[in-house]
Every structure is written in structure tokens, then in C-alpha cells.
Amino acid sequence: MYVHSRNALACLAAAFVLSACDGRQSVLAPSGTDALSVFDLARVMFIGAVVLWLLVGTLFIYVTRINPREMSRRKAEILIVGGGVVFPVLLLGALLVYSLPLMNAPRLADEGLRVHITAEQWWWRVDYELPDGTRIPSANELRLPVGTRTGLVLNAKKVIHSFWVPALGGKTDMIPGRETFQSLQPVTAGVYRGQCAEFCGASHALMAFETVAMEPEDFAAWLEAEARDAQPPATAPARRGAKIFAREGCGGCHTVRGTDAVGQVGPDLTHVGSRKSLAAGILDVTAEDFADWIGHTDAIKPEVAMPSYDFLPREDLAALGIYLEGLK
Amino acid sequence: MTQITEKQEAREFHAEATSVWRITFGPLLWAVHFVVSYSATAVVCAKGGDVGVLRLGIGIGTFLALAGIAWLGWRAWQQWDTLRNRGWENDTGTSQDRHQFLGHAAFLLAAISFIGVVYVALPPLLIESCQ
Ligand SMILES: [Cu+2]
């Protein structure tokens, strides 16, 4: 028992250290302007609190142990009025003046690009809006250019969710019937994990997404590719997969631009093969994981809105996997 | 002789009535500033008014409230008279004690009202939008 709990403790410590190092989803590894300023604020608060604690503790030991004599009235008054009224008022005032303006940045307007994100149970509908009004639909992944501020127009379908990419900025609630706004400005290219941060039902914990911060040129190239229609299946198994996709009526819920599939119930699958994750940050983008997902949706995500195609033969699932994985 | 002191007492007691009122003026200004700032912000943000004008208005209102409270605080400080008459207690029940005690209370209330007004005003003055 004792050894057990010691192991658990070691694991916990290791997990803490490792999770802080990995930093894909950590406020302790900030990579966006807003996360950086919150990190600074946290450090100021923490160090300040430690200094204050030491100061008060030392003073306490001084007056009770080291020099426990009666103080002159004047000294006592200075200590009480100065340390009890003037100092805290000035300190709290200074902290307010420092921290309140930090709330401006995440609410600043975008610099051209806006992304409309709608939280559904349990995935993210994503829609890029260019300055000229063009819309590029996507899902379950957010891509942002490094160095510029991108606006996020947030909404929710049925219940409240919350949008949060810890490494890039603060969180904002997503409320049905009400638009909320946040902007993000990544400073270093990389892949950061986001997570729904407001309990939204059975698969709330399985509602995540990857955020890919890209150099502006890379981002422009990616966006251009994302706007294109789906590539037609290139190999025989992929073509078979496309046929099964049509036969099973997947297009009633999913859109694959450039094909007959125009459903709006589930995520857009036009370029699903080029995403970093599958099923809202839960699986990998491999033909096997696609097949697993389609055959066992509700085992992977409890109460999911997509039916499980467990009646399909293994070869059909594999073909679907190959087709979808090829939708780059 | 006793008659005269009693009369005099009554007169002084009566004179103190205004300073009983006066101790409420600091918190009253704070309350008015609070209600006006919050309701104006709620209306402007809900109806989509000009946030710049709102913040300027709150700035001017804050300046006026602080000036008023500072003046009340200064009057109360003089009434308390703590520098000439050192001591924190005014508990003997004489008219002078009453006078100083009311000044003391009014001064402390003015100080807390001043801080309250500053803290209420900081968010609208430092945050630039309704979001
Ligand atoms: Cu959610």
C-alpha cells in the first residue's frame, strides 16, 4: 500500500513536470500574445504574493520573538495606517491599473481574417471568412497565421460550450443564440491543443481540436488548398470507398465539396485527410483510425450523433478509411 | 446656572445634527457614482451607443465625485481635529467629544468612499470596449 501510494505520487510529479514540458495545451508554455501577458500577470502575482508573505511573516516573528517590546504610539500608528490602509490600497490600485488593460487585447478586432466557430455536441464547425466576404468551411481544426490577430466569432448549437487554447489565450464561453468574440495572435508556429472548457454532455471530455499556427505564407497556401474542392479518389480501394460513402448515405450528414455529398449535420469532410486529428482531437488521421471510428462511433464517443456502421464488413470500413484518408 | 448649561447643551446638540447628516454625504456620492456609472454602461452597451462618450462621461463624473468627497473629507478632518487633540477615543460624552467623533467617522467614510469611487471607475477607464 505504502509503495503503491509512493509510486502514484512519483507518477503525479512526473506527469506534472512532463505536461509542463510538452506544453501543447499548457498555460505554462505560452505561445500567443494574450497567453504571454496572462503568464506575466501570473508570475507578478505569484512572486508578489511570496514576497508579501515573507514580509508579513518576518515582521510577525520580529515583533513577537525578536523584539517583543511595547512600541511607541507613533510607530504603531504608522504601522497600522501605513501597512493596513495606505499600502494595500496603493498595491491593489497598481495591480488593477496593470491588469485591467490586459483585457483589451483579446477583444481587439481582427486584422482581416475572421473564423466563425460553432460548438456542436461534440465537435467544432469552423468557417473562415476572408476580408472580401468569401467563406471557406472546415471543421475540428483551427489554423491561424503567426503574427496577426485573427478574430473568432463564437457560437453554439444547443448547449453552452467554452473555447480554450491554453497556449494561445484565455477562454470564451460559446452560448446558443448569442455571438461571443475573442481574437488570438500566435507568436510562434506550432501545433497547440484546444479543449472544450465547459461541461456539455457525455462526450465533453472528448471535444478537443488542434490549433495550427503557421507562418503567413504557409497559411495562405493552406487556405487556398482548403478552399478547393475535394480531390477525386486516386486508387482502386479509394474509389471503392467513395462508392460505399455514397451508398451508405454518409452525404446526408457530411459535405465533401465537389461531390454529391452536401449534408450539413456533421463535420465537413472535404479535406479531412489533411487534418492533424480525427473526431475532434481524439484519433489519428490514419486509414485504420477512420475505419475504427466509422465502425464504433458510440464506443469511442458516448452518445455521439453519428450512427455506428458496425454492420459494414471489415473490407468496406477499410475502403472508407482509405478514401477519407486520401481527402487531403 | 444649570438652566443655562442645559440650554447651551441643547443648542450644541442641535448644531451637531447637520454633521450627523454630513457623515452620510461621502458614501452617498459613492453610491450615486456607482449607480450612474453602472446603469449608463449597461444602457450604452446594450443599445450600442458611443463607448468613447460613455468613458469620457464616466471620467468627468468620477472627477466631480472625487472632488466632492475630497472636500467633505477635508472638512471632516478639520472637525476631527486629531493633530491638535491627539487620541483616537472620543468617549466621554461631552459636546466636544461628540463633535470630534462625528468628524472622525465622516473622515473614515470619506476615505473609503474615495477608494470605492476610484476602483469603480478604473474598469471603464482602462477597458476600451463593451466586450
Ligand atoms: Cu463542448
Side-chain angles (χ1 to χ4, degrees), chain A residues 73 77 81 88-89 92-93 96-97 100-101 103-104 107 181, chain B residues 86-89 115 118-119 122-123 126-131:
Chain A
R73 188 182 174 105
E77 279 174 4
V81 176
V89 164
L92 290 178
L96 266 178
V97 171
L100 281 171
M103 295 175 78
N104 281 317
R107 282 151 184 87
F181 182 85
Chain B
R86 288 189 66 81
W88 292 83
E89 302 93 1
I115 298 165
V118 170
Y119 282 11
L122 280 176
L126 294 176
I127 296 176
E128 292 156 23
S129 77
C130 287
Q131 286 278 341

Side-chain angles (χ1 to χ4, degrees), chain A residues 16-318:
Chain A
F16 185 75
V17 172
L18 291 176
S19 64
C21 295
D22 174 35
R24 279 179 6 91
Q25 188 183 329
S26 173
V27 289
L28 300 178
S31 297
T33 309
D34 304 337
L36 280 162
S37 59
V38 170
F39 190 52
D40 281 343
L41 175 67
R43 276 189 295 191
V44 167
M45 296 290 285
F46 182 76
I47 295 170
V50 169
V51 169
L52 271 183
W53 183 77
L54 288 176
L55 216 71
V56 173
T58 314
L59 200 64
F60 184 72
I61 291 172
Y62 179 77
V63 297
T64 55
R65 297 287 139 105
I66 299 172
N67 191 9
R69 268 177 295 144
E70 196 176 314
M71 243 181 232
S72 76
R73 188 182 174 105
R74 188 163 175 73
K75 242 192 184 159
E77 279 174 4
I78 288 175
L79 203 62
I80 291 169
V81 176
V85 181
V86 179
F87 179 64
V89 164
L90 291 181
L91 188 68
L92 290 178
L95 278 176
L96 266 178
V97 171
Y98 161 53
S99 60
L100 281 171
L102 298 183
M103 295 175 78
N104 281 317
R107 282 151 184 87
L108 284 183
D110 49 276
E111 295 171 302
L113 180 70
R114 300 190 131 213
V115 189
H116 298 254
I117 305 178
T118 309
E120 314 235 352
Q121 281 164 312
W122 289 271
W123 60 283
W124 315 83
R125 195 184 287 279
V126 179
D127 197 4
Y128 295 80
E129 181 189 349
L130 306 190
D132 65 6
T134 316
R135 293 292 194 105
I136 303 169
S138 182
N140 285 334
E141 185 167 287
L142 176 61
R143 301 227 175 193
L144 300 170
V146 164
T148 41
R149 220 166 238 294
T150 301
L152 308 176
V153 182
L154 306 173
N155 239 308
K157 186 78 173 291
K158 227 178 197 169
V159 299
I160 297 178
H161 304 255
S162 186
F163 175 92
W164 194 25
V165 187
L168 296 184
K171 58 182 113 159
T172 303
D173 275 1
M174 306 170 89
I175 304 161
R178 191 176 152 183
E179 203 167 82
T180 48
F181 182 85
Q182 167 176 14
S183 59
L184 283 179
Q185 184 177 38
V187 294
T188 32
V191 183
Y192 309 102
R193 195 166 183 275
Q195 166 71 44
C196 177
E198 179 79 46
F199 181 73
C200 57
S203 285
H204 158 67
L206 302 173
M207 181 172 174
F209 61 101
E210 300 292 351
T211 304
V212 188
M214 308 170 89
E215 295 302 336
E217 318 82 66
D218 298 343
F219 177 77
W222 172 82
L223 199 61
E224 215 185 296
E226 189 72 9
R228 289 197 205 108
D229 283 351
Q231 285 169 356
T235 63
R239 274 191 291 274
R240 209 169 88 72
K243 280 216 187 78
I244 300 165
F245 191 89
R247 187 189 76 208
E248 295 300 328
C250 310
C253 287
H254 292 288
T255 296
V256 179
R257 277 175 278 136
T259 74
D260 293 339
V262 291
Q264 289 294 322
V265 179
D268 186 299
L269 298 179
T270 310
H271 300 291
V272 68
S274 63
R275 284 183 206 148
K276 301 273 180 208
S277 79
L278 177 61
I282 302 310
L283 301 172
D284 288 328
V285 186
T286 60
E288 297 78 54
D289 277 14
F290 272 109
D292 268 355
W293 166 253
I294 299 160
H296 313 280
T297 47
D298 52 6
I300 293 168
K301 269 197 183 182
E303 295 183 19
V304 71
M306 171 170 157
S308 244
Y309 288 83
D310 45 7
F311 52 85
L312 286 181
R314 208 185 265 241
E315 310 81 70
D316 285 7
L317 289 175

